[in-house]
Amino acid sequence: MSDMTASTPSLRSGMNFDRLRTYFPFMVLILVCIGFAIFSDQFVSARNLETVLRQASVLSIAAMGATFIIMMASIDLSVGSVVGLSAVIVAYFMQSNGLLAAPAGLLSGAFLGALVGVIYAKMKVPSFIVTLGLLVAGHGMMLHITEGRPIMIKDETMRWIGSGDIAGVPTIVIVALIAFAVAYVIQNHTILGRSIVAIGGGEMVAQRSGIRIDRVKIGTFALAGLYSGLAGIVLSSRMGAGSPTAGTGLELDVIAAVVIGGTPLTGGMGGVVGTIIGALIITILSNGLNLAGVSSYSQLIIKGAVLIIAVVISIDRKKIGVIK
Amino acid sequence: MADVANHMETGQGTAKRFSHAILEARGLQKQYGPVHAVRDVGLTLHAGEALALCGENGAGKSTIFKILAGEVTPDGGEITLNGDPFRPDSAASAVRAGVSMVYQEFNTLPNTSVAENVFLGRMDMFRRFGIIDWTKLHAAAQEVLNRLGLKIDPRASIGSLSPSTCKMIELARALSTNPKVLLLDEITASLDHDDADTLHRLMADLRAQGVGILYVSHRLQEIFGSCTTVEVMKDGAYVTTRPVEDLDESQLSALMIGRKIDVWERTPGLADRPVMLALDGLSGAGFKDVSLKVRRGQIVTLAGLAGSGADAVLEAVFGAVAVSKGSIELDGKRHEGRDIPEAIAAGIAMVPKERAVEGLIDSADIQFNIGLAGLTRNARGGFVDGSAESKDAEQGMQLFRIKAPSAATAVRNLSGGNKQKVLLAKWFLTNPKLILLNNPTRGVDVGVKLEIYEMLQKLREERDLAVLMASEDMAEVIRVSDMVITIRHGAISGVFEGEAITETNLINAMI
């Protein structure tokens, strides 16, 4: 009975908070754009817009996969290495197999994702530890394959994907849009999408509703791996090489994009629409700071702060008992 | 007024048996929102008296205890302790004044030692130069444990001890404060046989030393064994106070219920209906050799005290816990389902006990929650049919009269009663052949309870649905069941049908 009286105010603030979570990314995107438009005259130009969209595509593809993982209330710290490894593998096989090497990038991503999923779901190792391990191990593998030097890509089609366009729209932006459409359908119209949200919202409830938790977890990590693999292919095509440092630090941008996009680390809410906005915000932030002449050292400080602020705003405190 | 007079009279009666009153409470009031948890209740506890507070669930016993222990501030009334006004504003201040309580819930910390738990919150006593004097602490703890006859090392970790021993350590904690008044709330529910014996011997010792004991237990036999006086409460109000010698168990039960329960129209001719669920010698963790039948259109209830194993039987049928022996037959066919998805596919639904943890996803909307049970029913090839899902949600909201702006309302914005209805809708919408209900009206108010019973009655008739229920709410068990099977220590202890379903019969079979 005592929660009857207490629930009235929290009910109201809860609804406002949900609404804030939905509109927050759009508000931030607009504010950031207006801010940079005032401070830099180069910011609003067709050329810069194209640069931003090209830069945002790798991040948004990787972040869409991560959105599923975070909606499930798990975390993936390995994104940077899995994307980089895929880029390196594609460049490596492209030396002998040409364009046929591209699927190898997807497969490596999906395989690593499934592996993480199995260790996480079946052996009950927290996802942040499994993926932290993979982050380090994956980088080691990249160094092995490349022997520390970038592997150049000479295939013309691959280079066209990276820098060409279709009817004026950059090819990689189209790839990112298709990836987004697929992710949107998975999230909203499939059993897998429902299951992911259910596990993030309440794993026990999901289990008792007849969802096979382990399968969904493994499947989701494999799916996210597939997205990382695709992001790796796009990254290598953009750079024209498989670099041993490809994707380094991307995991932080990915998590920031997802969280700023309104998917709380506590899971069960949010989605890929917000993530696209989040990825644009992160990209525009570093683009704008570059144009405004802010040093890359200071940019790191700003990025870290933005990530923490985004989590502070988006997190679902009602679901949290003990913070560790 | 008659009650008050009666109280005064018996109060004088008991005064002759005991030297002096330690604790007196008059006109206690406590209201939670629109609900009077306690209205105008008084009690007198004498030195050396063991007073049992009796009443059904929700009678207000726990509220009285919490008021006396300083956990809850009453809205009105006066309490005196040894003649002085007693207004504890926290559990700590009640303890300082000489009133200690052992709570129904567990209150030990798993990763600390026995001694630390005995002196929990009072470790300062052993501080010297800012450092804990462990030798002194362990010696003091050993002394208290000896008083209880507990052979445990004060250095042992709580995690290594049985729940019963943990409860005894909580009792040791209460004793170590040298209370004048000891409050014991359902302590024996967590004690094993030997520890319960120790407790009852200790109660006799304490009474001889002039300590007053207030006691709550569902086990009426214990009250007759260890208490001297009984005070009965009903619906938050005082009923009567009697010496235990003046009562027997059935008279006490009658006082607690306070009225003849209006008999639910039990559906005739159920015995001829086809059997939907048949359990044969089902055994597993917490239950053994359970055989029963549930027919189409019949409501069978497993009744038992908390931890009796009634829940576990339901869990086993649903595939949530393993079956070690025996068989489950559903609609004439052996059900081999070893997990929840297979049980749902076979036509079994289960409304769980813990709504927040097992039942609903708070952050998601009504439609999502209703569609979640058996996701495949509105899907083809992995894709969810959104319009079928939304039709289900509309139907569920109508059927269970869920009050919400739309099916897109987040469950967390609903009242407890409406949440419970969403939970029921979620499972009824899977069109089950058999529905398992574990405490289906837990935590909802009386109005919604009655509404749920009505729906249950309607649905089982219309759909010829077999219902297997577990409930700890005695009034509910009696009201809705066609057949009650009592479970004690994991095994069937009695089967009651029709007129035989009475509170006295059931309680006797349950304890």
Side-chain angles (χ1 to χ4, degrees):
Chain A
M1 280 304 119
S2 57
D3 60 28
M4 217 159 134
T5 45
S7 74
T8 324
S10 71
L11 185 146
R12 198 174 301 136
S13 68
M15 283 167 106
N16 285 344
F17 218 81
D18 288 347
R19 204 166 295 156
L20 180 66
R21 198 177 276 128
T22 313
Y23 295 119
F24 185 73
F26 293 94
M27 288 170 358
V28 173
L29 181 62
I30 292 167
L31 281 178
V32 170
C33 287
I34 292 173
F36 285 130
I38 293 169
F39 281 106
S40 161
D41 44 1
Q42 291 155 281
F43 180 74
V44 190
S45 67
R47 197 182 152 71
N48 193 48
L49 179 71
E50 193 190 323
T51 310
V52 166
L53 289 180
R54 280 182 187 277
Q55 284 173 347
S57 31
V58 172
L59 174 59
S60 54
I61 293 170
M64 277 181 258
T67 307
F68 290 125
I69 289 179
I70 294 178
M71 272 204 294
M72 204 167 66
S74 305
I75 193 82
D76 185 358
L77 301 178
S78 68
V79 179
S81 285
V82 176
V83 169
L85 195 59
S86 158
V88 165
I89 286 174
V90 169
Y92 182 82
F93 284 112
M94 212 155 259
Q95 298 175 113
S96 50
N97 301 54
L99 209 57
L100 286 173
L106 293 179
L107 283 178
S108 67
F111 170 76
L112 290 173
L115 184 67
V116 167
V118 168
I119 297 172
Y120 164 52
K122 295 287 180 192
M123 301 177 194
K124 314 276 179 216
V125 181
S127 56
F128 88 91
I129 284 294
V130 187
T131 55
L132 183 62
L134 181 59
L135 174 68
V136 178
H139 194 228
M141 290 182 231
M142 286 168 71
L143 290 170
H144 264 297
I145 295 171
T146 58
E147 292 167 338
R149 286 182 301 273
I151 304 171
M152 303 310 288
I153 292 175
K154 298 188 182 76
D155 188 283
E156 283 307 314
T157 321
M158 193 66 173
R159 285 183 161 266
W160 169 76
I161 293 173
S163 51
D165 59 68
I166 299 172
V169 184
T171 320
I172 56 169
V173 173
I174 292 172
V175 172
L177 286 174
I178 293 169
F180 165 72
V182 172
Y184 184 83
V185 170
I186 291 174
Q187 180 196 317
N188 293 299
H189 299 288
T190 66
I191 292 187
L192 178 63
R194 294 279 195 287
S195 305
I196 289 170
V197 174
I199 292 176
E203 195 166 323
M204 269 289 264
V205 178
Q207 192 203 347
R208 298 201 66 106
S209 302
I211 291 169
R212 296 190 193 272
I213 306 289
D214 289 358
R215 279 190 204 174
V216 175
K217 282 181 175 171
I218 295 168
T220 305
F221 270 91
L223 176 68
L226 202 63
Y227 269 88
S228 291
L230 180 64
I233 297 172
V234 171
L235 180 63
S236 67
S237 74
R238 232 175 85 71
M239 296 186 2
S243 152
T245 57
T248 305
L250 187 65
E251 58 280 345
L252 223 68
D253 284 354
V254 162
I255 294 169
V258 173
V259 172
I260 291 174
T263 304
L265 287 181
T266 36
M269 290 186 250
V272 289
V273 177
T275 298
I276 291 285
I277 307 294
L280 283 174
I281 293 171
I282 295 292
T283 311
I284 288 172
L285 202 61
S286 65
N287 171 268
L289 291 172
N290 277 334
L291 292 179
V294 177
S295 81
S296 60
Y297 302 166
S298 308
Q299 285 193 29
L300 286 179
I301 299 173
I302 295 172
K303 261 191 191 174
V306 165
L307 174 68
I308 294 171
I309 292 167
V311 172
V312 166
I313 293 172
S314 72
I315 212 161
D316 185 3
R317 288 178 185 75
K318 281 175 216 140
K319 269 178 64 178
I320 299 176
V322 181
I323 307 285
K324 286 187 176 167
Chain B
M1 280 321 278
D3 283 344
V4 178
N6 188 7
H7 188 211
M8 297 301 287
E9 200 180 279
T10 47
Q12 280 162 6
T14 48
K16 281 172 204 152
R17 305 191 296 158
F18 301 103
S19 57
H20 63 281
I22 327 174
L23 183 74
E24 286 197 87
R26 287 289 162 261
L28 292 180
Q29 301 274 2
K30 183 69 197 179
Q31 208 168 335
Y32 293 109
V35 177
H36 279 276
V38 165
R39 58 177 106 200
D40 197 20
V41 174
L43 62 84
T44 307
L45 181 67
H46 300 87
E49 184 176 21
L51 174 66
L53 215 49
C54 296
E56 291 179 290
N57 288 337
K61 299 165 294 187
S62 289
T63 307
I64 296 279
F65 266 44
K66 283 178 184 158
I67 289 172
L68 296 175
E71 294 271 331
V72 166
T73 312
D75 299 334
E78 276 170 25
I79 312 170
T80 56
L81 185 66
N82 283 324
D84 299 323
F86 176 60
R87 287 193 200 89
D89 52 11
S90 68
S93 73
V95 168
R96 275 195 300 275
V99 178
S100 280
M101 171 157 170
V102 179
Y103 293 83
Q104 187 172 359
E105 301 81 21
F106 280 97
N107 270 302
T108 45
L109 304 177
N111 296 319
T112 51
S113 71
V114 169
E116 284 169 280
N117 273 281
V118 170
F119 291 101
L120 195 70
R122 291 172 296 139
M123 295 284 284
D124 276 355
M125 290 158 58
F126 304 98
R127 203 201 289 262
R128 220 173 36 179
F129 311 123
I131 295 169
I132 303 284
D133 183 345
W134 292 98
T135 320
K136 215 170 119 190
L137 170 68
H138 289 143
Q142 188 69 61
E143 196 185 289
V144 186
L145 295 174
N146 288 346
R147 271 179 77 189
L148 274 167
L150 283 177
K151 293 182 181 60
I152 327 165
D153 184 352
R155 291 166 198 82
S157 165
I158 288 291
S160 62
L161 305 172
S162 72
S164 177
T165 309
C166 290
K167 205 76 209 169
M168 291 302 274
I169 286 160
E170 288 177 43
L171 180 62
R173 181 191 303 157
L175 276 190
S176 70
T177 64
N178 292 316
K180 296 178 209 128
V181 174
L182 183 61
L183 311 175
L184 303 174
D185 190 4
E186 288 288 357
I187 179 171
T188 45
S190 343
L191 294 182
D192 63 29
H193 193 74
D194 290 347
D195 284 335
D197 277 354
T198 309
L199 168 76
H200 292 132
R201 277 198 305 275
L202 178 82
M203 283 171 70
D205 288 350
L206 290 171
R207 283 178 44 220
Q209 293 160 26
V211 174
I213 298 170
L214 270 172
Y215 195 77
V216 165
S217 173
H218 270 109
R219 302 180 187 177
L220 299 186
Q221 291 161 338
E222 284 176 10
I223 290 171
F224 287 93
S226 313
C227 295
T228 54
T229 320
V230 173
E231 173 164 327
V232 180
M233 288 177 70
K234 170 150 191 63
D235 299 332
Y238 173 81
V239 177
T240 183
T241 306
R242 308 272 178 87
V244 284
E245 303 88 65
D246 294 4
L247 288 170
D248 63 25
E249 269 186 50
S250 62
Q251 284 171 320
L252 179 55
S253 302
L255 283 170
M256 283 163 59
I257 306 161
R259 72 199 132 86
K260 243 189 115 187
I261 305 239
D262 50 323
V263 183
W264 173 265
E265 292 269 324
R266 299 191 200 281
T267 316
L270 284 170
D272 309 327
R273 301 273 183 90
V275 173
M276 178 50 80
L277 175 76
L279 305 183
D280 185 23
L282 206 67
S283 302
F287 60 100
K288 54 185 181 287
D289 203 20
V290 173
S291 301
L292 58 84
K293 286 189 174 75
V294 185
R295 295 169 187 279
R296 283 178 184 274
Q298 188 186 26
I299 301 176
V300 175
T301 303
L302 300 177
L305 301 171
S308 65
D311 294 11
V313 175
L314 261 58
E315 297 281 310
V317 174
F318 194 51
V321 303
V323 170
S324 62
K325 243 169 51 188
S327 69
I328 302 170
E329 209 171 85
L330 188 73
D331 209 4
K333 288 186 289 283
R334 202 179 152 98
H335 173 60
E336 299 283 6
R338 261 169 224 96
D339 62 12
I340 294 171
E342 285 179 21
I344 295 173
I348 304 176
M350 178 163 180
V351 173
K353 185 177 184 178
E354 304 284 347
R355 183 177 64 223
V357 189
E358 306 169 333
L360 295 176
I361 292 173
D362 235 23
S363 54
D365 62 26
I366 296 174
Q367 179 168 329
F368 184 96
N369 272 287
I370 288 183
L372 198 59
L375 269 170
T376 43
R377 75 168 191 270
N378 287 328
R380 195 169 289 172
F383 287 90
V384 177
D385 178 349
S387 64
E389 199 186 54
S390 104
K391 261 185 214 140
D392 265 9
E394 292 301 328
Q395 198 194 340
M397 287 180 70
Q398 261 174 20
L399 203 59
F400 285 89
R401 286 178 243 148
I402 295 162
K403 290 180 197 79
S406 77
T409 309
V411 164
R412 69 160 52 138
N413 294 327
L414 300 179
S415 69
N418 277 307
K419 281 185 186 175
Q420 191 67 20
K421 289 177 180 179
V422 173
L423 179 57
L424 289 161
K426 168 181 168 179
W427 286 106
F428 272 99
L429 263 284
T430 62
N431 286 318
K433 295 174 181 168
L434 166 74
I435 191 159
L436 308 167
L437 304 173
N438 192 348
N439 287 280
T441 62
R442 195 166 188 242
V444 303
D445 63 39
V446 183
V448 178
K449 253 185 200 183
L450 295 178
E451 230 180 321
I452 289 175
Y453 298 153
E454 228 175 82
M455 293 165 194
L456 187 60
Q457 179 76 336
K458 197 175 132 213
L459 285 168
R460 62 111 163 218
E461 272 172 15
E462 285 178 5
R463 303 195 181 183
D464 220 11
L465 186 64
V467 180
L468 181 61
M469 183 169 99
S471 179
E472 284 154 28
D473 180 342
M474 196 48 81
E476 172 170 295
V477 172
I478 293 168
R479 183 159 189 132
V480 307
S481 317
D482 298 309
M483 179 193 275
V484 180
I485 297 173
T486 52
I487 305 276
R488 182 170 54 201
H489 306 312
I492 292 178
S493 62
V495 179
F496 304 88
E497 273 184 282
E499 294 293 304
I501 303 177
T502 65
E503 178 146 6
T504 321
N505 281 352
L506 297 183
I507 286 184
N508 284 339
M510 279 159 60
I511 57 178

PDB file of all heavy atoms in Angstrom, chain A residues 35-48:
ATOM      1  N   GLY A  35      25.524  24.698 -33.346  1.00  0.00           N
ATOM      2  CA  GLY A  35      26.740  25.172 -32.697  1.00  0.00           C
ATOM      3  C   GLY A  35      27.901  25.263 -33.679  1.00  0.00           C
ATOM      4  O   GLY A  35      28.541  26.311 -33.793  1.00  0.00           O
ATOM      5  N   PHE A  36      28.153  24.179 -34.406  1.00  0.00           N
ATOM      6  CA  PHE A  36      29.292  24.175 -35.325  1.00  0.00           C
ATOM      7  C   PHE A  36      29.058  25.101 -36.513  1.00  0.00           C
ATOM      8  O   PHE A  36      29.996  25.676 -37.065  1.00  0.00           O
ATOM      9  CB  PHE A  36      29.609  22.760 -35.785  1.00  0.00           C
ATOM     10  CG  PHE A  36      30.288  21.952 -34.722  1.00  0.00           C
ATOM     11  CD1 PHE A  36      29.834  20.688 -34.384  1.00  0.00           C
ATOM     12  CD2 PHE A  36      31.381  22.465 -34.021  1.00  0.00           C
ATOM     13  CE1 PHE A  36      30.444  19.943 -33.388  1.00  0.00           C
ATOM     14  CE2 PHE A  36      32.005  21.730 -33.030  1.00  0.00           C
ATOM     15  CZ  PHE A  36      31.536  20.471 -32.708  1.00  0.00           C
ATOM     16  N   ALA A  37      27.788  25.239 -36.929  1.00  0.00           N
ATOM     17  CA  ALA A  37      27.488  26.145 -38.045  1.00  0.00           C
ATOM     18  C   ALA A  37      27.874  27.581 -37.668  1.00  0.00           C
ATOM     19  O   ALA A  37      28.315  28.362 -38.504  1.00  0.00           O
ATOM     20  CB  ALA A  37      26.011  26.065 -38.403  1.00  0.00           C
ATOM     21  N   ILE A  38      27.722  27.918 -36.378  1.00  0.00           N
ATOM     22  CA  ILE A  38      28.074  29.260 -35.928  1.00  0.00           C
ATOM     23  C   ILE A  38      29.594  29.412 -35.839  1.00  0.00           C
ATOM     24  O   ILE A  38      30.169  30.394 -36.295  1.00  0.00           O
ATOM     25  CB  ILE A  38      27.423  29.561 -34.559  1.00  0.00           C
ATOM     26  CG1 ILE A  38      25.898  29.630 -34.719  1.00  0.00           C
ATOM     27  CG2 ILE A  38      27.955  30.861 -33.960  1.00  0.00           C
ATOM     28  CD1 ILE A  38      25.138  29.651 -33.410  1.00  0.00           C
ATOM     29  N   PHE A  39      30.268  28.387 -35.290  1.00  0.00           N
ATOM     30  CA  PHE A  39      31.704  28.517 -35.030  1.00  0.00           C
ATOM     31  C   PHE A  39      32.582  28.308 -36.264  1.00  0.00           C
ATOM     32  O   PHE A  39      33.723  28.755 -36.290  1.00  0.00           O
ATOM     33  CB  PHE A  39      32.140  27.534 -33.931  1.00  0.00           C
ATOM     34  CG  PHE A  39      31.796  28.020 -32.560  1.00  0.00           C
ATOM     35  CD1 PHE A  39      30.751  27.459 -31.834  1.00  0.00           C
ATOM     36  CD2 PHE A  39      32.514  29.075 -32.001  1.00  0.00           C
ATOM     37  CE1 PHE A  39      30.435  27.919 -30.576  1.00  0.00           C
ATOM     38  CE2 PHE A  39      32.200  29.537 -30.735  1.00  0.00           C
ATOM     39  CZ  PHE A  39      31.154  28.963 -30.031  1.00  0.00           C
ATOM     40  N   SER A  40      32.080  27.560 -37.245  1.00  0.00           N
ATOM     41  CA  SER A  40      32.931  27.266 -38.396  1.00  0.00           C
ATOM     42  C   SER A  40      32.164  27.490 -39.690  1.00  0.00           C
ATOM     43  O   SER A  40      31.071  26.960 -39.871  1.00  0.00           O
ATOM     44  CB  SER A  40      33.408  25.810 -38.310  1.00  0.00           C
ATOM     45  OG  SER A  40      33.854  25.390 -39.573  1.00  0.00           O
ATOM     46  N   ASP A  41      32.774  28.288 -40.605  1.00  0.00           N
ATOM     47  CA  ASP A  41      32.063  28.554 -41.857  1.00  0.00           C
ATOM     48  C   ASP A  41      32.210  27.403 -42.851  1.00  0.00           C
ATOM     49  O   ASP A  41      31.479  27.296 -43.815  1.00  0.00           O
ATOM     50  CB  ASP A  41      32.541  29.876 -42.486  1.00  0.00           C
ATOM     51  CG  ASP A  41      34.047  30.021 -42.453  1.00  0.00           C
ATOM     52  OD1 ASP A  41      34.702  29.072 -41.960  1.00  0.00           O
ATOM     53  OD2 ASP A  41      34.547  31.053 -42.903  1.00  0.00           O
ATOM     54  N   GLN A  42      33.177  26.482 -42.578  1.00  0.00           N
ATOM     55  CA  GLN A  42      33.325  25.331 -43.484  1.00  0.00           C
ATOM     56  C   GLN A  42      32.319  24.231 -43.176  1.00  0.00           C
ATOM     57  O   GLN A  42      32.107  23.337 -43.983  1.00  0.00           O
ATOM     58  CB  GLN A  42      34.735  24.733 -43.345  1.00  0.00           C
ATOM     59  CG  GLN A  42      35.829  25.607 -43.884  1.00  0.00           C
ATOM     60  CD  GLN A  42      37.138  25.256 -43.185  1.00  0.00           C
ATOM     61  OE1 GLN A  42      37.388  25.667 -42.065  1.00  0.00           O
ATOM     62  NE2 GLN A  42      37.956  24.462 -43.862  1.00  0.00           N
ATOM     63  N   PHE A  43      31.739  24.294 -41.964  1.00  0.00           N
ATOM     64  CA  PHE A  43      30.898  23.169 -41.513  1.00  0.00           C
ATOM     65  C   PHE A  43      29.707  22.944 -42.444  1.00  0.00           C
ATOM     66  O   PHE A  43      29.423  21.812 -42.854  1.00  0.00           O
ATOM     67  CB  PHE A  43      30.427  23.403 -40.076  1.00  0.00           C
ATOM     68  CG  PHE A  43      29.574  22.290 -39.546  1.00  0.00           C
ATOM     69  CD1 PHE A  43      30.139  21.078 -39.182  1.00  0.00           C
ATOM     70  CD2 PHE A  43      28.195  22.436 -39.440  1.00  0.00           C
ATOM     71  CE1 PHE A  43      29.369  20.043 -38.707  1.00  0.00           C
ATOM     72  CE2 PHE A  43      27.412  21.401 -38.965  1.00  0.00           C
ATOM     73  CZ  PHE A  43      28.005  20.209 -38.600  1.00  0.00           C
ATOM     74  N   VAL A  44      28.997  24.023 -42.765  1.00  0.00           N
ATOM     75  CA  VAL A  44      27.839  23.853 -43.651  1.00  0.00           C
ATOM     76  C   VAL A  44      28.288  23.985 -45.100  1.00  0.00           C
ATOM     77  O   VAL A  44      28.356  25.074 -45.644  1.00  0.00           O
ATOM     78  CB  VAL A  44      26.736  24.893 -43.342  1.00  0.00           C
ATOM     79  CG1 VAL A  44      25.454  24.538 -44.094  1.00  0.00           C
ATOM     80  CG2 VAL A  44      26.453  24.965 -41.858  1.00  0.00           C
ATOM     81  N   SER A  45      28.641  22.843 -45.689  1.00  0.00           N
ATOM     82  CA  SER A  45      28.975  22.833 -47.118  1.00  0.00           C
ATOM     83  C   SER A  45      28.712  21.433 -47.629  1.00  0.00           C
ATOM     84  O   SER A  45      28.766  20.462 -46.856  1.00  0.00           O
ATOM     85  CB  SER A  45      30.451  23.204 -47.324  1.00  0.00           C
ATOM     86  OG  SER A  45      31.272  22.188 -46.785  1.00  0.00           O
ATOM     87  N   ALA A  46      28.399  21.319 -48.913  1.00  0.00           N
ATOM     88  CA  ALA A  46      28.080  20.015 -49.502  1.00  0.00           C
ATOM     89  C   ALA A  46      29.247  19.059 -49.320  1.00  0.00           C
ATOM     90  O   ALA A  46      29.075  17.882 -49.014  1.00  0.00           O
ATOM     91  CB  ALA A  46      27.745  20.189 -50.982  1.00  0.00           C
ATOM     92  N   ARG A  47      30.441  19.603 -49.453  1.00  0.00           N
ATOM     93  CA  ARG A  47      31.639  18.772 -49.357  1.00  0.00           C
ATOM     94  C   ARG A  47      31.803  18.192 -47.959  1.00  0.00           C
ATOM     95  O   ARG A  47      32.075  17.001 -47.774  1.00  0.00           O
ATOM     96  CB  ARG A  47      32.852  19.640 -49.720  1.00  0.00           C
ATOM     97  CG  ARG A  47      34.068  18.827 -50.054  1.00  0.00           C
ATOM     98  CD  ARG A  47      35.252  19.722 -50.360  1.00  0.00           C
ATOM     99  NE  ARG A  47      36.475  19.023 -50.033  1.00  0.00           N
ATOM    100  CZ  ARG A  47      36.933  17.991 -50.742  1.00  0.00           C
ATOM    101  NH1 ARG A  47      36.287  17.574 -51.812  1.00  0.00           N
ATOM    102  NH2 ARG A  47      38.042  17.365 -50.378  1.00  0.00           N
ATOM    103  N   ASN A  48      31.588  19.054 -46.963  1.00  0.00           N
ATOM    104  CA  ASN A  48      31.726  18.581 -45.586  1.00  0.00           C
ATOM    105  C   ASN A  48      30.607  17.606 -45.208  1.00  0.00           C
ATOM    106  O   ASN A  48      30.833  16.635 -44.496  1.00  0.00           O
ATOM    107  CB  ASN A  48      31.757  19.763 -44.609  1.00  0.00           C
ATOM    108  CG  ASN A  48      32.205  19.318 -43.227  1.00  0.00           C
ATOM    109  OD1 ASN A  48      33.205  18.616 -43.117  1.00  0.00           O
ATOM    110  ND2 ASN A  48      31.451  19.693 -42.205  1.00  0.00           N
TER     111      ASN A  48
END
